[in-house]
Amino acid sequence: MAHLPRKFGSLHPVRSRVVTPDTVAGGGRRLTAAEMSGGARRVLEAWRLGVVRYGDALRLQERLVADRRAGRVPDLVLSLQHPTTYTLGKRRTDHNLLLPEDDLRALGADIHRTERGGDVTFHGPRQAVLYPILSLRAIGLGARRYVEGLESAMIEVAALYGVKARPGGAGETGVWVGDRKIGAIGVRISSGFTCHGLAFNIDPDLGYFKHIVPCGIADKEVTSLRREAAVELPPDAVIHDHLVQSLARTFCFSDVEVKDESECADIICFDEATQS
């Protein structure tokens, strides 16, 4: 068994802790998740993994989905960022890459083809990525409600910083500020178990989006929380935490147990052959 990839980096080290997602910013109280779920205490594990190569994250998700299906791990969410990467969904819409793949690689980008839904998208530093590994049957959700929940989490976090975001309209996917896209969604659901997830632009280099047709939607801009917010933003790790907390509330988890990469090292393992 190999150790964590040497290129994993921490966004902001934290200790393992249990956080209740029932308190809103400013000290107010919302209806508790336990109350909403009939009194049952439900814990969502949040694994904070720092910067993770896309291929490593993909293999980890595949392993965790199998473990979740077998009951070896609970519902959890991976919270991370990727190095510069372009990904395509299962529709294989290569025509939405506006540069040859060799040119994209020359820019320092990796390219991956996946089995998630959605079109081509970009991942990179200062973009928050959440990959929930959930049993939708256990939390009583269908695919549509699940995707709506991912949208809701990003909209709620944007609102914390005074940004009015909305779900995509007809022909649009993800989350938007006016006609500018701030968050992308691409999921895979197999036998009621989820992987892949959402990408929320905190302050990535938006120039990389010019080399693709983001999510297959032409003539639309991409934006970021930094560009839209009129207030100073906290460290990225705080926004990651806000997304996780919002996700937990949306899906009626009563607690979030946060683990950093060192605490997951006995669970996460990769073959040395996958290291670059």
Side-chain angles (χ1 to χ4, degrees), residues 2-273:
H3 297 293
L4 277 167
R6 289 181 290 273
K7 291 186 180 180
F8 271 49
S10 293
L11 293 172
H12 184 67
V14 295
R15 295 180 179 178
S16 180
R17 63 191 187 278
V18 173
V19 182
T20 59
D22 305 319
T23 302
V24 297
R29 182 184 181 279
R30 61 175 79 225
L31 188 66
T32 68
E35 291 165 342
M36 294 166 65
S37 61
R41 180 176 179 270
R42 298 177 53 244
V43 177
L44 177 68
E45 285 193 2
W47 295 13
R48 299 186 60 188
L49 301 182
V51 179
V52 185
R53 292 187 297 272
Y54 189 86
D56 287 340
L58 186 61
R59 286 183 286 272
L60 176 59
Q61 289 178 79
E62 291 169 349
R63 181 178 303 154
L64 288 173
V65 167
D67 286 346
R68 181 67 189 92
R69 183 179 288 114
R72 291 188 291 266
V73 297
D75 287 325
L76 59 92
V77 59
L78 308 180
S79 177
L80 53 89
Q81 295 185 15
H82 289 305
T84 304
T85 306
Y86 292 103
T87 70
L88 295 101
K90 58 187 177 182
R91 288 185 288 171
R92 301 294 188 265
T93 50
D94 293 52
H95 58 278
N96 286 326
L97 295 173
L98 301 181
L99 289 179
E101 292 187 23
D102 287 347
D103 290 354
L104 294 175
R105 292 190 179 95
L107 295 174
D110 290 333
I111 300 172
H112 287 270
R113 289 166 173 79
T114 76
E115 293 303 312
R116 64 160 171 79
D119 210 294
V120 61
T121 194
F122 164 79
H123 296 299
R126 313 244 21 227
Q127 181 192 70
V129 175
L130 296 190
Y131 292 140
I133 311 295
L134 307 177
S135 168
L136 293 186
R137 292 173 183 171
I139 61 179
L141 289 179
R144 181 183 295 273
R145 289 286 304 277
Y146 173 63
V147 171
E148 290 173 350
L150 299 180
E151 292 172 342
S152 176
M154 290 189 280
I155 291 169
E156 183 175 288
V157 170
L160 289 175
Y161 301 98
V163 177
K164 186 176 181 180
R166 62 171 178 84
E172 298 174 338
T173 59
V175 169
W176 299 72
V177 179
D179 61 356
R180 303 173 300 282
K181 189 166 188 174
I182 195 171
I185 293 174
V187 303
R188 184 181 184 192
I189 301 173
S190 175
S191 301
F193 295 91
T194 70
C195 61
H196 297 281
L198 65 83
F200 183 72
N201 295 333
I202 300 174
D203 189 23
D205 183 346
L206 298 179
Y208 282 101
F209 287 97
K210 296 178 181 179
H211 307 312
I212 61 174
V213 180
C215 300
I217 303 173
D219 303 321
K220 298 285 187 178
E221 293 184 23
V222 177
T223 191
S224 66
L225 190 63
R226 171 69 68 186
R227 177 171 291 187
E228 301 293 337
V231 298
E232 184 175 353
L233 298 182
D236 288 6
V238 174
I239 299 173
H240 276 251
D241 282 350
H242 286 160
L243 282 166
V244 169
Q245 293 292 322
S246 181
L247 194 77
R249 283 192 295 269
T250 298
F251 296 141
C252 297
F253 288 93
S254 50
D255 298 305
V256 176
E257 182 178 351
V258 181
K259 296 182 177 181
D260 67 19
E261 63 191 66
S262 65
E263 294 167 298
C264 300
D266 60 337
I267 302 172
I268 304 173
C269 57
F270 296 101
D271 296 333
E272 288 295 339

